[in-house]
Amino acid sequence: MATVVTVTSGKGGVGKTTSSAALAAGLAKAGHRTVVIDFDVGLRNLDLIMGVERRVVFDFVNVISGEATLNQALIQDKRMENLSILAASQTKDKDALSEEGVGQVLDQLADMGFEYIVCDSPAGIERGATMALHFADHAVIVTNPEVSSVRDSDRILGILQSKSKRAKEGGKVQEHLLITRYDPVRVDQGEMLSKEDVCDILAVKLIGVIPESKAVLKASNTGVPVILDEDSDAGKAYSDAVARFLGDDRPLRFVTAKKQGLLSRILGGGD
Amino acid sequence: MTSMPRIRANRYSVMTLEWPKDSGPLDSWLRLQCDKAPALMQEIAIVLKPAMEHTASEISEAVDLLDQLGIGLIGLTGDPQHRTVADELGLAWLSSNNVTVDPDTPEAVSARSPVPDETRNSALVIEGPVRSGVQIYAKDRDLVIIGQVSEGAEIMADGHVHVYGRLRGRVAAGVSGQADAEIFCLTFEPELVSLAGMYCGSDQIPEELWSARVRVGLDGTAQKLTFALMG
Ligand SMILES: Nc1ncnc2c1ncn2[C@@H]1O[C@H](COP(=O)(O)OP(=O)(O)OP(=O)(O)O)[C@@H](O)[C@H]1O
Ligand SMILES: [Mg+2]
């Protein structure tokens, strides 16, 4: 039985694709056969972040419309043999994602023996996003610590628990909260919501807090999921999040501002 | 056995929209009410009561406006000279006999329990959280929410509303005019509170009640919301 994990947020640009890539690579690294699918038809960029953009021949929509087989479209990661990528189409329109077609592809992936199917949802609440939500067993809600992002996440959670297949069948999609681009200094200055505020508003179990980090941009420029940059703060934070997702209990890291040293305070410097 | 049509006396809850001549533009005021409680405004049945000074064309415009906003207008009431306007617009005319009833008369008692006992249903129980953008309406019954109600969510009932959690969204009890309906809440931080058509925004809620365990009812005149701390 494959587990479908949808990474979603409502608001755009909060770090869904970065997190989908990290989660998929992290699950594969933990030994689980994993596939990550880009649902952002027309704006694909998961393949870039995974570093496979030059290997995309066929995509998700080609498979749904019968123009290619799933085997032809799946791209195997060069770093980890148990990780595959299914890219989004850059040209086809969103309506190509039919519920029936998406369902069939997911069933086929399950039959092929994938344990985790990670779905990178587009922003908003339109077709791509609702399709990614529809089949979810788990949802990772990616939120930035600011009011509009939190509010949109709340709205997505409402849609998830009313429109998803599981909800319609009387069940519940399991929710996980992932706070990204967290900057403890700005939290202390009152410019960002604290992780406590976000948890209090959303009332969803927190699986990770990813710091604002230069390592993320570097990783996406080089096409390596940031979780594989094991020395980076964001990489470590994502590893912790994946471990928590898999049931581990780990303390949060990178959530408090570094204390300024006495000398730098006297000299008026900072970091 | 064939059943025959018959005419029976019945008591429906209808709201009156009182429209004084000197009030500001009806348009912006109504749009504001619809923004505050969209689902509520769609649910209620309304009788428009223009002031005597309003002209036939002003009334006709107001009727169009209500129609545009999707508010269910069933007729006009007020000054008898407007009866012809109602006829022209194809609306019912309701002669107003607004007697203020003494709370102890049998009349008042039935007005206070508008849902007859045989049709009062068991409460609708919802496991929260109720998220932003979600609307829940318990028709002809009480509503019980277990968990939080997010900002941007809207919960409504013809009966009482109970929230066993944090209430940050909009809440309306006695939606069809049941003046005996009440709201009970463990952590009270609502965006908007409405009871039997009386509204109050979060800015009008006494500070000492914010985040507290609160009970909201209507006072004896049914014209004012009353707030009380629960023990
Ligand atoms: N922890 C982080 N620190 C710094 N930058 C980040 C972090 N997470 C994401 N970013 C940056 O934010 C931008 C958006 O990230 P990403 O593409 O993952 O978001 P998205 O939610 O998938 O966006 P969209 O809604 O457009 O699909 C990218 O430029 C990415 O590098
Ligand atoms: Mg994206």
Side-chain angles (χ1 to χ4, degrees), chain A residues 7 12-18 20 38 40 43-46 49 120-123:
Chain A
V7 179
V14 297
K16 290 178 295 295
T17 301
T18 305
S20 300
D38 192 346
D40 206 344
L43 280 172
R44 74 174 213 216
N45 55 38
L46 178 72
I49 300 212
D120 176 20
S121 170

Side-chain angles (χ1 to χ4, degrees), chain A residues 22-85:
Chain A
L23 177 63
L27 289 168
K29 209 170 144 214
H32 300 285
R33 221 177 138 208
T34 303
V35 56
V36 55
I37 308 180
D38 192 346
F39 274 74
D40 206 344
V41 173
L43 280 172
R44 74 174 213 216
N45 55 38
L46 178 72
D47 49 331
L48 277 169
I49 300 212
M50 296 296 297
V52 299
E53 76 277 13
R54 281 198 295 256
R55 296 169 58 203
V56 177
V57 182
F58 296 111
D59 58 55
F60 191 21
V61 172
N62 291 139
V63 179
I64 289 175
S65 58
E67 292 154 8
T69 65
L70 192 50
N71 269 318
Q72 286 174 306
L74 278 177
I75 302 170
Q76 202 192 334
D77 188 86
K78 289 223 165 105
R79 296 157 291 228
M80 284 175 278
E81 61 165 355
N82 59 353
L83 176 62
S84 295
I85 297 111

Side-chain angles (χ1 to χ4, degrees), chain A residues 9-19 40 43 45 49 120-124 142 144 180-182 210-218 220 234 238:
Chain A
S9 70
K11 193 168 157 57
V14 297
K16 290 178 295 295
T17 301
T18 305
S19 301
D40 206 344
L43 280 172
N45 55 38
I49 300 212
D120 176 20
S121 170
V142 180
N144 289 166
T180 58
R181 311 201 71 163
Y182 197 73
I210 313 300
E212 173 75 26
S213 165
K214 292 198 177 71
V216 172
L217 188 62
K218 191 178 136 221
S220 58
Y238 271 120

Side-chain angles (χ1 to χ4, degrees), chain B residues 15 39-40 43-44 114-115 120-126 135-145 154-163 170-184 194-197:
Chain B
M15 305 266 190
L40 176 65
E43 280 297 335
I44 56 180
V115 183
R120 180 158 274 187
N121 303 309
S122 64
L124 173 64
V125 180
I126 302 282
Q135 290 173 341
I136 293 172
Y137 174 38
K139 193 166 169 50
D140 297 333
R141 63 208 289 205
D142 294 350
L143 175 61
V144 176
I145 308 278
E154 207 177 342
I155 56 169
M156 295 168 287
D158 285 330
H160 305 305
V161 175
H162 307 253
V163 179
R170 305 174 200 136
V171 59
V175 167
S176 309
Q178 296 86 340
D180 64 337
E182 290 185 80
I183 296 164
F184 309 88
S194 162
L195 260 187

Side-chain angles (χ1 to χ4, degrees), chain A:
Chain A
M1 261 284 285
T3 303
V4 178
V5 187
T6 296
V7 179
T8 184
S9 70
K11 193 168 157 57
V14 297
K16 290 178 295 295
T17 301
T18 305
S19 301
S20 300
L23 177 63
L27 289 168
K29 209 170 144 214
H32 300 285
R33 221 177 138 208
T34 303
V35 56
V36 55
I37 308 180
D38 192 346
F39 274 74
D40 206 344
V41 173
L43 280 172
R44 74 174 213 216
N45 55 38
L46 178 72
D47 49 331
L48 277 169
I49 300 212
M50 296 296 297
V52 299
E53 76 277 13
R54 281 198 295 256
R55 296 169 58 203
V56 177
V57 182
F58 296 111
D59 58 55
F60 191 21
V61 172
N62 291 139
V63 179
I64 289 175
S65 58
E67 292 154 8
T69 65
L70 192 50
N71 269 318
Q72 286 174 306
L74 278 177
I75 302 170
Q76 202 192 334
D77 188 86
K78 289 223 165 105
R79 296 157 291 228
M80 284 175 278
E81 61 165 355
N82 59 353
L83 176 62
S84 295
I85 297 111
L86 188 52
S89 139
Q90 206 139 31
T91 51
K92 303 266 173 38
D93 73 313
K94 295 185 176 64
D95 296 335
L97 296 181
S98 66
E99 186 176 315
E100 199 193 355
V102 173
Q104 279 171 1
V105 172
L106 297 181
D107 284 346
Q108 239 181 304
L109 288 167
D111 289 343
M112 290 167 82
F114 284 102
E115 289 169 78
Y116 286 101
I117 302 173
V118 177
C119 303
D120 176 20
S121 170
I125 50 175
E126 288 179 21
R127 186 153 196 96
T130 51
M131 270 305 127
L133 283 178
H134 184 78
F135 294 96
D137 297 310
H138 291 250
V140 173
I141 311 297
V142 180
T143 303
N144 289 166
E146 42 148 303
V147 173
S148 63
S149 171
V150 174
R151 173 69 84 94
D152 284 1
S153 293
D154 195 63
R155 192 162 279 243
I156 277 288
L157 284 160
I159 294 172
L160 187 68
Q161 298 305 358
S162 58
K163 303 262 160 68
S164 64
K165 187 159 172 278
R166 273 196 170 227
K168 283 180 183 160
E169 288 166 357
K172 204 168 182 308
V173 178
Q174 204 168 327
E175 304 161 346
H176 311 266
L177 176 62
L178 184 63
I179 303 177
T180 58
R181 311 201 71 163
Y182 197 73
D183 184 343
V185 175
R186 294 187 61 196
V187 172
D188 287 352
Q189 287 165 350
E191 293 170 10
M192 270 187 177
L193 295 175
S194 70
K195 61 181 197 311
E196 288 80 11
D197 290 338
V198 178
C199 290
D200 179 58
I201 296 171
L202 291 178
V204 173
K205 191 167 178 287
L206 183 67
I207 55 157
V209 178
I210 313 300
E212 173 75 26
S213 165
K214 292 198 177 71
V216 172
L217 188 62
K218 191 178 136 221
S220 58
N221 284 338
T222 50
V224 181
V226 71
I227 197 169
L228 301 179
D229 181 355
E230 289 170 4
D231 297 327
S232 68
D233 49 357
K236 288 175 186 161
Y238 271 120
S239 295
D240 288 350
V242 173
R244 287 188 204 102
F245 177 84
L246 290 171
D248 248 24
D249 203 10
R250 293 195 181 183
L252 289 170
R253 295 192 267 179
F254 319 110
V255 289
T256 46
K258 282 198 206 82
K259 294 272 184 309
Q260 262 187 21
L262 184 60
L263 194 62
S264 62
R265 252 188 294 164
I266 292 168
L267 298 174
D271 52 1

